[in-house]
């Protein structure tokens, strides 16, 4: 890049995706600014493949404790009056 053009600052940390597995993969971008530009393509290629693998993985089934409870059935319930 010519010296007359200011360089764009590198983001200090990526935005959280609220997916721990994806966020941990994005951490690979942290050291990228210190690497030669010629090495960037390999980093992006590896990240792309890892993200595809993660995003195509079936999510784990929620534990029974984390599953939403069914609403009570209509009718007379203990402790309530008709």
């Amino acid at each position: 890049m010519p010296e007359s053009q200011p360089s764009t600052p590198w983001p200090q940390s990526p935005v959280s995706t609220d997916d721990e597995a994806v966020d941990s993969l994005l951490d690979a971008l942290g050291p990228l600014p210190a690497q030669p530009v010629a090495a960037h393509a390999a980093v992006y290629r590896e990240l792309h493949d890892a993200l595809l693998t993660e995003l195509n993985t079936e999510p784990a089934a929620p534990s029974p404790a984390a599953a939403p409870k069914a609403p009570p059935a209509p009718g007379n319930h203990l402790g309530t009056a008709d």
Side-chain angles (χ1 to χ4, degrees):
M1 178 169 14
E3 289 182 336
S4 62
Q5 293 180 345
S7 64
T8 303
W10 193 264
Q12 294 303 311
S13 62
V15 175
S16 174
T17 64
D18 293 330
D19 185 319
E20 289 181 30
V22 171
D23 288 345
S24 69
L25 291 171
L26 293 176
D27 288 342
L29 296 175
L32 200 60
Q35 296 180 3
V37 172
H40 289 197
V43 172
Y44 286 130
R45 192 171 27 256
E46 290 174 17
L47 176 60
H48 174 265
D49 292 346
L51 286 170
L52 273 178
T53 299
E54 180 59 36
L55 294 172
N56 286 321
T57 301
E58 290 294 323
S63 66
K69 295 182 180 181
N76 190 9
H77 297 282
L78 294 177
T80 61
D82 267 353

